[in-house]
Amino acid sequence: MEDCIFCKIVRKEIPSRGVYEDELVYVFHDINPVAPTHLLVVPKRHIVGVQSLEPEDREVVGHMFYVARKLGEELGYAPNEELAGGYRLVFNVGKDAGQSVFHLHLHFIAGRTMGWPPG
Ligand code: DGP
């Protein structure tokens, strides 16, 4: 998508602090972190959001979760045997839920304790 900010980040037309990349996804630091670690897992192919997922998108969405799981382990946030530690994975779906960028992204948020429910 020509004007999509995350497409431009994926194409490296806009700088970002990348942490992981493969053929399907790019992972980079959120510009407005809400926790000590706040990453965005983004498919390289433009998808508007969960609200527009098609059957052929299921592989990349599953891959996004798997990449998040591996990052959780590599960054030391995986829950331990007592289930302490951990991280939050969030898809905001639509404006009322807080979606502001209409290119699918999975928030990876970690490094502090978090309350529930969200505000
Ligand atoms: P959401 O509100 O769920 O659509 O999340 C969009 C996130 O994207 C938000 O936390 C801020 C982040 N963001 C927006 N523009 C940029 C940018 O240009 N660079 C980076 N690194 N993050 C951005």
Side-chain angles (χ1 to χ4, degrees):
M1 282 272 285
E2 196 70 15
D3 293 330
C4 170
I5 192 157
F6 284 0
C7 285
K8 289 180 180 173
I9 287 174
V10 164
R11 292 196 299 261
K12 311 286 165 59
E13 294 169 11
I14 292 176
S16 63
R17 292 170 55 215
V19 299
Y20 175 79
E21 182 167 13
D22 63 26
E23 69 279 13
L24 291 178
V25 301
Y26 180 52
V27 184
F28 55 97
H29 287 270
D30 193 294
I31 203 166
N32 293 318
V34 299
T37 299
H38 186 168
L39 307 175
L40 299 170
V41 183
V42 173
K44 289 187 166 176
R45 185 163 53 84
H46 184 81
I47 299 169
V48 167
V50 171
Q51 62 271 53
S52 71
L53 288 178
E54 300 287 351
E56 59 267 28
D57 299 324
R58 288 178 291 185
E59 180 190 1
V60 72
V61 173
H63 186 62
M64 291 166 75
F65 279 109
Y66 186 72
V67 166
R69 179 251 164 110
K70 299 303 276 183
L71 285 169
E73 288 173 357
E74 287 167 18
L75 299 175
Y77 293 120
N80 63 24
E81 286 173 9
E82 287 80 40
L83 301 181
Y87 48 87
R88 182 167 291 176
L89 300 177
V90 175
F91 282 108
N92 292 325
V93 186
K95 286 184 179 166
D96 283 1
Q99 186 175 5
S100 60
V101 176
F102 288 83
H103 179 133
L104 184 68
H105 50 282
L106 179 61
H107 292 262
F108 179 104
I109 301 166
R112 65 170 172 83
T113 55
M114 287 168 255
W116 188 264

